[in-house]
Amino acid sequence: TARHYELSGVKIYQLHTEGIAPYAEPGMEKSFEVNAFFIGASTRNAIQNGRGTYIPVFLSEVPSLFRKNIIPLDVALINVSPPDQHGYCSLGTSVDISLSAVQNAKIVIAQINKQMPRTHGDSIIHKNRIHYSVYHDEEIPAIEDCTPSPEELLIGQHIANIVDDGATLQMGIGSIPNAVLSCLNTHKNLGIHTEMFSDGIIPLVEQGVINGSKKAIHPHTIVSSFVVGSKKLYDFIDDNPSVKMLDFSYVNNTDVIRRN
């Protein structure tokens, strides 16, 4: 953004992003038009004050907006793990709409980052799909779990009481999903098929509560599209074959979820 004055009318499409977003700061609006499918802390002020736009859409529909050219993409900016011996990188923590962006953008620019965990599933792309790249190692933005309040734990317990053994879980982000997970430690054979997950699942996996043994689709596998959490979580998903990162349009397919 240091040379933003050289640009005008650049449209940015994004989901939730961690960290700062200097392109959304006051004074940048002539250079960058922020279009958010999900409003996070970095863009909330810009959207509230008319410097950006919120696009109300089911997240599962975003990939089709790119694939049908409803939203044409000139450039996709991605963060990937280094290529392996066969030339394959991983989208790591964020497959969600990143995969469809890579598949449909005219130009793909990648930050190749040793700190990006290497995940399985739809996250694998060959380096030949990347037009320009820069090697730069930096830590993935992390969010540490907070201890649930007594009120949140009470809500979590009420929800946990109506979760059956063998159920497949869909989680969101925030204190309530983590409070629910913390109250599921006496359950059995739970599975995960979710758009995202955070640190709350790790103790349940370690205890054998989450094992995916009753899932009809992708049994014994944790299915997700993106993850947000601590360094411990990123280490957990790194090269872990029991975690499969898939495109949003599949993970949020209601027919699949019902079959689970």
Side-chain angles (χ1 to χ4, degrees):
T1 56
R3 298 171 59 183
H4 71 92
Y5 53 84
E6 299 178 20
L7 303 171
S8 63
V10 176
K11 295 182 179 180
I12 297 176
Y13 292 92
Q14 66 171 72
L15 281 175
H16 174 77
T17 56
E18 285 297 320
I20 62 173
Y23 52 85
E25 294 296 321
M28 296 289 180
E29 52 268 33
K30 291 184 179 179
S31 300
F32 303 108
E33 176 187 316
V34 180
N35 298 277
F37 300 113
F38 185 100
I39 301 174
S42 62
T43 57
R44 185 171 292 113
N45 182 266
I47 292 170
Q48 286 178 335
N49 290 280
R51 299 193 308 276
T53 300
Y54 168 61
I55 301 174
V57 62
F58 288 117
L59 297 183
S60 60
E61 295 176 349
V62 177
S64 66
L65 297 180
F66 300 156
R67 292 182 173 126
K68 295 178 180 179
N69 208 36
I70 296 172
I71 295 178
L73 297 178
D74 294 308
V75 180
L77 301 174
I78 59 174
N79 195 330
V80 298
S81 68
D84 63 13
Q85 60 181 333
H86 305 293
Y88 287 94
C89 303
S90 172
L91 292 166
T93 59
S94 175
V95 174
D96 41 52
I97 66 172
S98 298
L99 177 65
S100 57
V102 168
Q103 292 171 337
N104 293 277
K106 298 174 184 176
I107 297 173
V108 177
I109 301 175
Q111 174 185 342
I112 298 177
N113 184 3
K114 290 182 180 178
Q115 302 295 324
M116 176 61 75
R118 184 175 185 83
T119 56
H120 296 244
D122 290 341
S123 64
I124 302 300
I125 62 170
H126 197 272
K127 65 180 182 180
N128 289 344
R129 301 198 73 131
I130 299 171
H131 298 88
Y132 303 98
S133 62
V134 58
Y135 281 80
H136 178 66
D137 297 334
E138 63 178 345
E139 292 186 0
I140 306 301
I143 299 177
E144 298 295 336
D145 272 353
C146 297
T147 302
S149 68
E151 293 80 10
E152 290 165 345
L153 279 175
L154 185 60
I155 294 172
Q157 188 61 64
H158 282 309
I159 296 173
N161 288 340
I162 60 174
V163 175
D164 296 328
D165 287 343
T168 296
L169 307 180
Q170 147 75 21
M171 281 92 66
I173 190 170
S175 57
I176 295 300
N178 284 334
V180 176
L181 290 169
S182 70
C183 296
L184 291 171
N185 58 311
T186 60
H187 281 62
K188 298 178 181 178
N189 302 323
L190 299 179
I192 303 291
H193 188 108
T194 181
E195 69 182 29
M196 68 83 61
F197 67 86
S198 53
D199 289 69
I201 76 160
I202 296 178
L204 296 179
V205 173
E206 293 173 342
Q207 296 165 22
V209 173
I210 292 176
N211 56 38
S213 61
K214 302 300 182 181
K215 293 177 66 180
I217 306 297
H218 297 298
H220 307 288
T221 303
I222 296 169
V223 173
S224 185
S225 278
F226 73 97
V227 298
V228 179
S230 69
K231 178 66 164 55
K232 180 179 180 180
L233 178 67
Y234 301 147
D235 290 341
F236 171 77
I237 67 173
D238 185 37
D239 202 26
N240 186 342
S242 72
V243 178
K244 186 169 291 188
M245 303 292 289
L246 299 183
D247 181 276
F248 253 157
S249 57
Y250 176 83
V251 171
N252 287 290
N253 185 308
T254 54
D255 290 334
V256 171
I257 294 173
R258 289 192 190 101
R259 290 170 65 188
N260 270 319

